[in-house]
Amino acid sequence: MSRTRGGGRHLDEDDIRIRARGGSRPRTRTRPKHENAVEGLVTAVDRGRYRCLVEGGRVVAMKARELGRGSIVVGDRVDVVGDLSGRPDTLARIVRVRERTSVLRRTADDTDPVERVIVANADQLAIVCSLADPAPQPRFVDRCLVAAYDAGLSPLLCLTKADLADPDALLRMYEPLGVPFEVLSPEGGLTGLRERLAERTTVLVGSSGVGKSTLFNRLIPGTDRAVGHVNAVTGRGRHTSTSAVALPFEGGWLIDTPGVRSFGLAHIAPEDVVGGFPDLAGFALDCPAGCTHREDAEDCAIGAALERGEADPARVASLRRLLAGREGDADEDVEP
Ligand SMILES: Nc1nc2c(ncn2[C@@H]2O[C@H](COP(=O)(O)OP(=O)(O)OP(=O)(O)O)[C@@H](O)[C@H]2O)c(=O)[nH]1
Ligand SMILES: [Zn+2]
């Protein structure tokens, strides 16, 4: 599969798959009927190979050529046919991708200028933020919140290293947004967090050093995220990898996003951000088309509601902060 990497990063894997058509791979003569397909969940993706959980077993699958250009990502529910034994060197085939309930996009960056879907069907975004060492990055948190609101995921703030600093200042900042949170320290328990994660599909995101791997290892002991990721999934260093990995957890899934430090916001319109503020969205209906809802916006109905005392000033301030963060430099929070 080395040609999939050599052709230049501007091509996505689907382009390359089309180029590979007519290559040396023999066609299977007797294809299993697709009615026999069984449902699977994509748990990892590596260079055109999809690790799937099918009927409780693990298989590696390729994408059927009739699927065309559409991408398949971690979290996708797929229909799989072929050799489902999971034995070494067997390869099943993904013949259908079920409709997605949500998509998270990774921010385009220097190494890959295309904004890509990295996780499908998640319903919660756990934003891991350390209270010290490194100091909290509210801009990073804000950008994640915008991505969560846009994708329809419920945000969850995981504040780590509470043994080093007090969470109060940060919590005051997020109080008007009503974001659920967990304050975590090495000595503290994880019962509250476990309950919030149970039976949900949660994507964890955090910038380098905030303690995301530590948290993973505490939640799912025995899976050394750092070592496990490099050896088992991509064979590459985790800082260069951007492929997500789904791990089963308490009736749901935890999805790690190594190397992914932020989500794509370029496609998000102000209206999508306002959608995360049900109490203000009604006012916004009276705004002029294309209103930025910023302080300097003319005839902004949210601004007017604020002046009449009908909109909560803290909520408006939070909305404006998120709108401003959305317009910032997309690379600002992306780790090298
Ligand atoms: N004091 C304190 N240190 C912590 C806590 N959680 C993690 N650490 C330390 O913070 C450092 C970074 O933790 P990691 O779990 O590797 O952080 P990460 O978010 O996975 O960072 P990357 O590996 O860069 O992705 C390590 O030295 C941990 O031991 C905590 O709750 N309190
Ligand atoms: Zn407005």
Side-chain angles (χ1 to χ4, degrees), residues 105-164:
R105 291 178 176 82
R106 181 174 67 73
T107 313
D109 60 32
D110 292 346
T111 59
D112 184 354
V114 181
E115 207 172 77
R116 294 182 196 285
V117 172
I118 44 161
V119 177
N121 301 322
D123 56 23
Q124 187 164 241
L125 181 65
I127 307 160
V128 186
C129 173
S130 54
L131 293 161
D133 188 26
Q137 294 177 277
R139 257 186 62 79
F140 174 84
V141 176
D142 286 353
R143 291 173 59 82
C144 292
L145 286 174
V146 171
Y149 293 142
D150 171 61
L153 274 57
S154 352
L156 170 64
L157 203 51
C158 297
L159 302 176
T160 59
K161 312 198 188 187
D163 53 317
L164 302 180

Short mmCIF file of all heavy atoms in Angstrom, two decimals, residues 105-164:
data_model
loop_
_atom_site.label_atom_id
_atom_site.label_comp_id
_atom_site.label_asym_id
_atom_site.label_seq_id
_atom_site.Cartn_x
_atom_site.Cartn_y
_atom_site.Cartn_z
N ARG A 105 -15.20 17.13 12.43
CA ARG A 105 -14.17 17.38 11.42
C ARG A 105 -12.88 17.83 12.07
O ARG A 105 -12.91 18.62 13.02
CB ARG A 105 -14.64 18.47 10.46
CG ARG A 105 -15.77 18.05 9.58
CD ARG A 105 -16.18 19.23 8.70
NE ARG A 105 -17.21 18.84 7.76
CZ ARG A 105 -18.50 18.77 8.07
NH1 ARG A 105 -18.89 19.09 9.28
NH2 ARG A 105 -19.38 18.41 7.17
N ARG A 106 -11.79 17.34 11.55
CA ARG A 106 -10.49 17.79 12.00
C ARG A 106 -10.11 19.05 11.23
O ARG A 106 -10.43 19.19 10.06
CB ARG A 106 -9.44 16.71 11.74
CG ARG A 106 -8.06 17.05 12.20
CD ARG A 106 -7.15 15.85 12.04
NE ARG A 106 -6.90 15.49 10.65
CZ ARG A 106 -6.12 16.19 9.83
NH1 ARG A 106 -5.56 17.31 10.24
NH2 ARG A 106 -5.93 15.80 8.60
N THR A 107 -9.44 19.94 11.93
CA THR A 107 -9.00 21.18 11.30
C THR A 107 -7.94 20.89 10.25
O THR A 107 -7.05 20.07 10.46
CB THR A 107 -8.36 22.09 12.36
OG1 THR A 107 -9.22 22.12 13.49
CG2 THR A 107 -8.19 23.49 11.83
N ALA A 108 -8.04 21.57 9.14
CA ALA A 108 -6.97 21.51 8.15
C ALA A 108 -5.70 22.10 8.77
O ALA A 108 -5.76 22.99 9.60
CB ALA A 108 -7.36 22.32 6.92
N ASP A 109 -4.56 21.54 8.42
CA ASP A 109 -3.30 22.11 8.95
C ASP A 109 -2.21 22.03 7.88
O ASP A 109 -2.48 21.68 6.74
CB ASP A 109 -2.88 21.41 10.24
CG ASP A 109 -2.66 19.91 10.05
OD1 ASP A 109 -2.24 19.52 8.95
OD2 ASP A 109 -2.91 19.15 10.99
N ASP A 110 -1.00 22.34 8.28
CA ASP A 110 0.09 22.41 7.31
C ASP A 110 0.34 21.09 6.60
O ASP A 110 0.69 21.04 5.43
CB ASP A 110 1.39 22.84 8.02
CG ASP A 110 1.30 24.28 8.49
OD1 ASP A 110 0.36 24.96 8.02
OD2 ASP A 110 2.12 24.70 9.31
N THR A 111 0.17 19.99 7.34
CA THR A 111 0.49 18.71 6.73
C THR A 111 -0.65 18.19 5.87
O THR A 111 -0.47 17.29 5.08
CB THR A 111 0.80 17.65 7.82
OG1 THR A 111 -0.35 17.52 8.65
CG2 THR A 111 2.01 18.08 8.65
N ASP A 112 -1.82 18.75 6.05
CA ASP A 112 -2.98 18.27 5.30
C ASP A 112 -3.99 19.41 5.19
O ASP A 112 -4.70 19.71 6.14
CB ASP A 112 -3.60 17.07 6.04
CG ASP A 112 -4.76 16.47 5.27
OD1 ASP A 112 -5.15 17.06 4.23
OD2 ASP A 112 -5.27 15.44 5.69
N PRO A 113 -4.03 20.06 4.04
CA PRO A 113 -4.86 21.26 3.92
C PRO A 113 -6.36 20.99 3.81
O PRO A 113 -7.14 21.93 3.74
CB PRO A 113 -4.34 21.90 2.62
CG PRO A 113 -3.79 20.77 1.83
CD PRO A 113 -3.29 19.74 2.82
N VAL A 114 -6.75 19.73 3.83
CA VAL A 114 -8.17 19.42 3.69
C VAL A 114 -8.79 19.14 5.06
O VAL A 114 -8.23 18.40 5.85
CB VAL A 114 -8.37 18.19 2.77
CG1 VAL A 114 -9.85 17.88 2.61
CG2 VAL A 114 -7.71 18.45 1.43
N GLU A 115 -9.94 19.76 5.30
CA GLU A 115 -10.65 19.50 6.53
C GLU A 115 -11.35 18.15 6.40
O GLU A 115 -12.12 17.96 5.46
CB GLU A 115 -11.68 20.61 6.74
CG GLU A 115 -12.04 20.85 8.17
CD GLU A 115 -12.90 22.09 8.30
OE1 GLU A 115 -14.09 22.01 7.99
OE2 GLU A 115 -12.37 23.12 8.72
N ARG A 116 -11.06 17.22 7.28
CA ARG A 116 -11.61 15.87 7.11
C ARG A 116 -12.49 15.45 8.27
O ARG A 116 -12.25 15.83 9.40
CB ARG A 116 -10.47 14.86 7.02
CG ARG A 116 -9.64 15.00 5.80
CD ARG A 116 -8.58 13.93 5.77
NE ARG A 116 -7.54 14.26 4.83
CZ ARG A 116 -7.66 14.17 3.52
NH1 ARG A 116 -8.78 13.73 2.99
NH2 ARG A 116 -6.68 14.53 2.71
N VAL A 117 -13.47 14.61 7.96
CA VAL A 117 -14.25 13.98 9.01
C VAL A 117 -13.36 12.95 9.69
O VAL A 117 -12.70 12.15 9.04
CB VAL A 117 -15.49 13.28 8.41
CG1 VAL A 117 -16.21 12.46 9.48
CG2 VAL A 117 -16.44 14.29 7.81
N ILE A 118 -13.28 13.01 11.02
CA ILE A 118 -12.44 12.04 11.71
C ILE A 118 -13.24 11.08 12.57
O ILE A 118 -12.79 9.98 12.84
CB ILE A 118 -11.38 12.71 12.61
CG1 ILE A 118 -12.00 13.85 13.40
CG2 ILE A 118 -10.21 13.20 11.80
CD1 ILE A 118 -11.18 14.23 14.58
N VAL A 119 -14.41 11.49 13.03
CA VAL A 119 -15.22 10.61 13.88
C VAL A 119 -16.69 10.76 13.48
O VAL A 119 -17.17 11.88 13.27
CB VAL A 119 -15.06 10.95 15.38
CG1 VAL A 119 -15.98 10.07 16.22
CG2 VAL A 119 -13.62 10.78 15.84
N ALA A 120 -17.37 9.63 13.36
CA ALA A 120 -18.80 9.65 13.06
C ALA A 120 -19.58 9.11 14.26
O ALA A 120 -19.07 8.31 15.04
CB ALA A 120 -19.09 8.79 11.84
N ASN A 121 -20.82 9.57 14.37
CA ASN A 121 -21.80 8.99 15.30
C ASN A 121 -21.47 9.16 16.78
O ASN A 121 -22.02 8.44 17.61
CB ASN A 121 -22.00 7.50 15.00
CG ASN A 121 -22.49 7.28 13.58
OD1 ASN A 121 -23.29 8.06 13.08
ND2 ASN A 121 -22.01 6.24 12.93
N ALA A 122 -20.58 10.07 17.12
CA ALA A 122 -20.35 10.34 18.54
C ALA A 122 -21.52 11.18 19.05
O ALA A 122 -22.20 11.85 18.27
CB ALA A 122 -19.03 11.08 18.74
N ASP A 123 -21.76 11.12 20.36
CA ASP A 123 -22.81 11.99 20.90
C ASP A 123 -22.33 12.89 22.04
O ASP A 123 -23.08 13.68 22.57
CB ASP A 123 -24.05 11.19 21.31
CG ASP A 123 -23.75 10.09 22.30
OD1 ASP A 123 -22.72 10.16 23.00
OD2 ASP A 123 -24.54 9.13 22.37
N GLN A 124 -21.05 12.72 22.40
CA GLN A 124 -20.52 13.56 23.48
C GLN A 124 -19.07 13.92 23.16
O GLN A 124 -18.33 13.11 22.63
CB GLN A 124 -20.59 12.78 24.79
CG GLN A 124 -20.22 13.57 26.03
CD GLN A 124 -20.69 12.88 27.32
OE1 GLN A 124 -21.46 13.43 28.06
NE2 GLN A 124 -20.19 11.69 27.58
N LEU A 125 -18.70 15.15 23.49
CA LEU A 125 -17.31 15.58 23.30
C LEU A 125 -16.73 15.95 24.66
O LEU A 125 -17.17 16.91 25.29
CB LEU A 125 -17.24 16.79 22.36
CG LEU A 125 -15.83 17.32 22.08
CD1 LEU A 125 -15.01 16.29 21.30
CD2 LEU A 125 -15.88 18.63 21.28
N ALA A 126 -15.79 15.13 25.14
CA ALA A 126 -15.14 15.41 26.41
C ALA A 126 -13.90 16.25 26.15
O ALA A 126 -12.97 15.80 25.48
CB ALA A 126 -14.78 14.11 27.12
N ILE A 127 -13.94 17.47 26.64
CA ILE A 127 -12.82 18.39 26.43
C ILE A 127 -11.93 18.33 27.66
O ILE A 127 -12.35 18.72 28.76
CB ILE A 127 -13.34 19.83 26.21
CG1 ILE A 127 -14.38 19.85 25.08
CG2 ILE A 127 -12.19 20.79 25.93
CD1 ILE A 127 -15.29 21.06 25.09
N VAL A 128 -10.73 17.77 27.47
CA VAL A 128 -9.82 17.60 28.61
C VAL A 128 -8.94 18.84 28.70
O VAL A 128 -8.27 19.22 27.75
CB VAL A 128 -8.96 16.33 28.45
CG1 VAL A 128 -8.14 16.09 29.71
CG2 VAL A 128 -9.83 15.12 28.14
N CYS A 129 -8.98 19.47 29.87
CA CYS A 129 -8.27 20.73 30.06
C CYS A 129 -7.60 20.67 31.43
O CYS A 129 -8.25 20.36 32.43
CB CYS A 129 -9.30 21.87 29.99
SG CYS A 129 -8.65 23.50 30.40
N SER A 130 -6.30 20.92 31.48
CA SER A 130 -5.62 20.87 32.78
C SER A 130 -5.74 22.22 33.47
O SER A 130 -5.74 23.27 32.82
CB SER A 130 -4.15 20.47 32.60
OG SER A 130 -3.51 21.33 31.68
N LEU A 131 -5.84 22.19 34.80
CA LEU A 131 -5.97 23.43 35.55
C LEU A 131 -4.61 24.10 35.76
O LEU A 131 -4.54 25.29 36.06
CB LEU A 131 -6.63 23.13 36.90
CG LEU A 131 -8.10 22.69 36.75
CD1 LEU A 131 -8.59 21.97 37.99
CD2 LEU A 131 -8.97 23.89 36.44
N ALA A 132 -3.54 23.33 35.57
CA ALA A 132 -2.17 23.86 35.64
C ALA A 132 -1.25 22.89 34.92
O ALA A 132 -1.59 21.70 34.78
CB ALA A 132 -1.74 24.01 37.11
N ASP A 133 -0.10 23.42 34.50
CA ASP A 133 0.95 22.56 33.94
C ASP A 133 0.49 21.62 32.85
O ASP A 133 0.48 20.40 33.06
CB ASP A 133 1.60 21.78 35.11
CG ASP A 133 2.83 21.01 34.65
OD1 ASP A 133 3.44 21.43 33.65
OD2 ASP A 133 3.16 20.00 35.30
N PRO A 134 0.11 22.05 31.68
CA PRO A 134 0.07 23.44 31.22
C PRO A 134 -1.16 24.20 31.71
O PRO A 134 -2.18 23.59 32.02
CB PRO A 134 0.00 23.28 29.69
CG PRO A 134 -0.68 21.96 29.47
CD PRO A 134 -0.25 21.10 30.62
N ALA A 135 -1.03 25.53 31.75
CA ALA A 135 -2.13 26.39 32.19
C ALA A 135 -3.35 26.18 31.28
O ALA A 135 -3.20 25.81 30.11
CB ALA A 135 -1.69 27.85 32.14
N PRO A 136 -4.56 26.39 31.82
CA PRO A 136 -5.77 26.21 31.01
C PRO A 136 -5.75 27.06 29.74
O PRO A 136 -5.22 28.17 29.76
CB PRO A 136 -6.90 26.66 31.94
CG PRO A 136 -6.33 26.75 33.29
CD PRO A 136 -4.85 26.87 33.17
N GLN A 137 -6.32 26.54 28.69
CA GLN A 137 -6.39 27.26 27.42
C GLN A 137 -7.85 27.48 27.05
O GLN A 137 -8.43 26.67 26.31
CB GLN A 137 -5.72 26.46 26.31
CG GLN A 137 -4.23 26.27 26.48
CD GLN A 137 -3.69 25.39 25.36
OE1 GLN A 137 -3.77 24.17 25.45
NE2 GLN A 137 -3.18 25.98 24.31
N PRO A 138 -8.45 28.55 27.57
CA PRO A 138 -9.88 28.76 27.31
C PRO A 138 -10.22 28.86 25.82
O PRO A 138 -11.29 28.43 25.40
CB PRO A 138 -10.18 30.10 28.01
CG PRO A 138 -9.08 30.28 28.99
CD PRO A 138 -7.88 29.59 28.42
N ARG A 139 -9.30 29.39 25.04
CA ARG A 139 -9.57 29.49 23.60
C ARG A 139 -9.72 28.10 22.97
O ARG A 139 -10.55 27.89 22.11
CB ARG A 139 -8.46 30.26 22.89
CG ARG A 139 -8.86 31.69 22.56
CD ARG A 139 -7.78 32.37 21.74
NE ARG A 139 -7.55 31.73 20.45
CZ ARG A 139 -8.34 31.90 19.38
NH1 ARG A 139 -9.39 32.68 19.46
NH2 ARG A 139 -8.07 31.30 18.26
N PHE A 140 -8.90 27.20 23.42
CA PHE A 140 -9.00 25.83 22.95
C PHE A 140 -10.35 25.23 23.35
O PHE A 140 -11.05 24.62 22.54
CB PHE A 140 -7.85 25.00 23.53
CG PHE A 140 -7.93 23.53 23.22
CD1 PHE A 140 -7.45 23.04 22.02
CD2 PHE A 140 -8.51 22.66 24.12
CE1 PHE A 140 -7.54 21.69 21.71
CE2 PHE A 140 -8.61 21.30 23.83
CZ PHE A 140 -8.12 20.82 22.63
N VAL A 141 -10.72 25.44 24.61
CA VAL A 141 -11.99 24.92 25.10
C VAL A 141 -13.15 25.53 24.30
O VAL A 141 -14.07 24.83 23.87
CB VAL A 141 -12.16 25.21 26.61
CG1 VAL A 141 -13.53 24.76 27.10
CG2 VAL A 141 -11.06 24.53 27.41
N ASP A 142 -13.08 26.84 24.08
CA ASP A 142 -14.15 27.51 23.33
C ASP A 142 -14.30 26.94 21.93
O ASP A 142 -15.41 26.72 21.44
CB ASP A 142 -13.86 29.02 23.24
CG ASP A 142 -14.11 29.72 24.57
OD1 ASP A 142 -14.62 29.07 25.49
OD2 ASP A 142 -13.78 30.92 24.67
N ARG A 143 -13.18 26.71 21.29
CA ARG A 143 -13.24 26.18 19.92
C ARG A 143 -13.85 24.78 19.91
O ARG A 143 -14.61 24.42 19.02
CB ARG A 143 -11.84 26.16 19.30
CG ARG A 143 -11.29 27.56 19.01
CD ARG A 143 -9.86 27.49 18.55
NE ARG A 143 -9.69 26.69 17.34
CZ ARG A 143 -9.92 27.14 16.11
NH1 ARG A 143 -10.31 28.38 15.93
NH2 ARG A 143 -9.77 26.37 15.08
N CYS A 144 -13.51 23.99 20.91
CA CYS A 144 -14.10 22.65 21.02
C CYS A 144 -15.61 22.75 21.27
O CYS A 144 -16.39 21.96 20.73
CB CYS A 144 -13.43 21.86 22.13
SG CYS A 144 -11.72 21.43 21.80
N LEU A 145 -16.01 23.73 22.08
CA LEU A 145 -17.44 23.90 22.35
C LEU A 145 -18.19 24.24 21.07
O LEU A 145 -19.27 23.71 20.80
CB LEU A 145 -17.65 25.01 23.39
CG LEU A 145 -17.28 24.67 24.83
CD1 LEU A 145 -17.41 25.89 25.72
CD2 LEU A 145 -18.17 23.54 25.36
N VAL A 146 -17.61 25.13 20.27
CA VAL A 146 -18.25 25.49 19.00
C VAL A 146 -18.40 24.25 18.12
O VAL A 146 -19.47 24.00 17.54
CB VAL A 146 -17.43 26.57 18.26
CG1 VAL A 146 -17.97 26.78 16.85
CG2 VAL A 146 -17.47 27.88 19.03
N ALA A 147 -17.34 23.45 18.04
CA ALA A 147 -17.39 22.23 17.24
C ALA A 147 -18.46 21.29 17.76
O ALA A 147 -19.19 20.66 16.99
CB ALA A 147 -16.02 21.55 17.23
N ALA A 148 -18.56 21.19 19.08
CA ALA A 148 -19.56 20.30 19.68
C ALA A 148 -20.97 20.78 19.38
O ALA A 148 -21.82 20.00 18.95
CB ALA A 148 -19.34 20.22 21.20
N TYR A 149 -21.23 22.07 19.57
CA TYR A 149 -22.57 22.61 19.29
C TYR A 149 -22.92 22.39 17.83
O TYR A 149 -24.04 22.01 17.49
CB TYR A 149 -22.64 24.10 19.62
CG TYR A 149 -22.52 24.41 21.09
CD1 TYR A 149 -21.82 25.54 21.52
CD2 TYR A 149 -23.10 23.60 22.05
CE1 TYR A 149 -21.71 25.84 22.87
CE2 TYR A 149 -22.99 23.89 23.39
CZ TYR A 149 -22.30 25.01 23.80
OH TYR A 149 -22.18 25.30 25.13
N ASP A 150 -21.96 22.64 16.96
CA ASP A 150 -22.21 22.50 15.52
C ASP A 150 -22.54 21.06 15.15
O ASP A 150 -23.43 20.80 14.36
CB ASP A 150 -21.00 22.98 14.74
CG ASP A 150 -21.14 22.66 13.27
OD1 ASP A 150 -22.10 23.16 12.65
OD2 ASP A 150 -20.32 21.89 12.73
N ALA A 151 -21.79 20.12 15.73
CA ALA A 151 -21.97 18.72 15.37
C ALA A 151 -23.12 18.08 16.14
O ALA A 151 -23.46 16.93 15.90
CB ALA A 151 -20.67 17.95 15.61
N GLY A 152 -23.71 18.81 17.07
CA GLY A 152 -24.82 18.26 17.85
C GLY A 152 -24.35 17.31 18.94
O GLY A 152 -25.09 16.42 19.36
N LEU A 153 -23.12 17.46 19.40
CA LEU A 153 -22.60 16.63 20.49
C LEU A 153 -22.75 17.39 21.80
O LEU A 153 -22.58 18.61 21.83
CB LEU A 153 -21.12 16.34 20.28
CG LEU A 153 -20.72 15.14 19.41
CD1 LEU A 153 -21.31 15.23 18.03
CD2 LEU A 153 -19.21 15.04 19.35
N SER A 154 -23.05 16.67 22.89
CA SER A 154 -23.06 17.38 24.17
C SER A 154 -21.64 17.52 24.67
O SER A 154 -20.88 16.55 24.67
CB SER A 154 -23.88 16.66 25.23
OG SER A 154 -24.59 15.60 24.72
N PRO A 155 -21.26 18.73 25.06
CA PRO A 155 -19.91 18.92 25.59
C PRO A 155 -19.81 18.47 27.04
O PRO A 155 -20.81 18.47 27.76
CB PRO A 155 -19.70 20.44 25.47
CG PRO A 155 -21.07 21.02 25.50
CD PRO A 155 -22.03 19.97 25.02
N LEU A 156 -18.62 18.06 27.42
CA LEU A 156 -18.33 17.70 28.81
C LEU A 156 -16.93 18.20 29.11
O LEU A 156 -15.98 17.88 28.39
CB LEU A 156 -18.41 16.18 28.99
CG LEU A 156 -17.90 15.63 30.33
CD1 LEU A 156 -18.75 16.13 31.47
CD2 LEU A 156 -17.90 14.09 30.30
N LEU A 157 -16.82 19.02 30.13
CA LEU A 157 -15.53 19.60 30.47
C LEU A 157 -14.85 18.72 31.53
O LEU A 157 -15.40 18.50 32.60
CB LEU A 157 -15.77 21.01 31.01
CG LEU A 157 -14.65 22.05 30.97
CD1 LEU A 157 -14.03 22.14 29.58
CD2 LEU A 157 -15.22 23.40 31.39
N CYS A 158 -13.67 18.19 31.19
CA CYS A 158 -12.91 17.38 32.14
C CYS A 158 -11.69 18.18 32.58
O CYS A 158 -10.74 18.35 31.83
CB CYS A 158 -12.46 16.07 31.49
SG CYS A 158 -13.83 15.03 31.00
N LEU A 159 -11.74 18.68 33.81
CA LEU A 159 -10.67 19.53 34.31
C LEU A 159 -9.70 18.68 35.12
O LEU A 159 -10.04 18.19 36.21
CB LEU A 159 -11.26 20.66 35.16
CG LEU A 159 -12.26 21.54 34.41
CD1 LEU A 159 -12.87 22.58 35.34
CD2 LEU A 159 -11.60 22.21 33.20
N THR A 160 -8.50 18.49 34.58
CA THR A 160 -7.52 17.61 35.22
C THR A 160 -6.55 18.42 36.08
O THR A 160 -6.50 19.64 36.02
CB THR A 160 -6.71 16.85 34.16
OG1 THR A 160 -6.06 17.80 33.32
CG2 THR A 160 -7.60 15.96 33.31
N LYS A 161 -5.77 17.70 36.88
CA LYS A 161 -4.71 18.25 37.72
C LYS A 161 -5.25 19.22 38.77
O LYS A 161 -4.64 20.26 39.06
CB LYS A 161 -3.61 18.91 36.86
CG LYS A 161 -3.15 18.01 35.69
CD LYS A 161 -1.82 18.43 35.14
CE LYS A 161 -1.51 17.62 33.88
NZ LYS A 161 -0.17 17.83 33.35
N ALA A 162 -6.41 18.86 39.32
CA ALA A 162 -6.99 19.69 40.38
C ALA A 162 -6.13 19.67 41.64
O ALA A 162 -6.34 20.47 42.55
CB ALA A 162 -8.41 19.23 40.70
N ASP A 163 -5.16 18.75 41.69
CA ASP A 163 -4.22 18.76 42.82
C ASP A 163 -3.25 19.92 42.72
O ASP A 163 -2.60 20.29 43.70
CB ASP A 163 -3.46 17.42 42.87
CG ASP A 163 -2.79 17.08 41.55
OD1 ASP A 163 -3.44 17.27 40.49
OD2 ASP A 163 -1.63 16.65 41.56
N LEU A 164 -3.13 20.52 41.53
CA LEU A 164 -2.16 21.60 41.33
C LEU A 164 -2.77 22.99 41.35
O LEU A 164 -2.07 23.97 41.60
CB LEU A 164 -1.43 21.41 39.99
CG LEU A 164 -0.68 20.09 39.77
CD1 LEU A 164 -0.02 20.08 38.39
CD2 LEU A 164 0.37 19.87 40.87
#
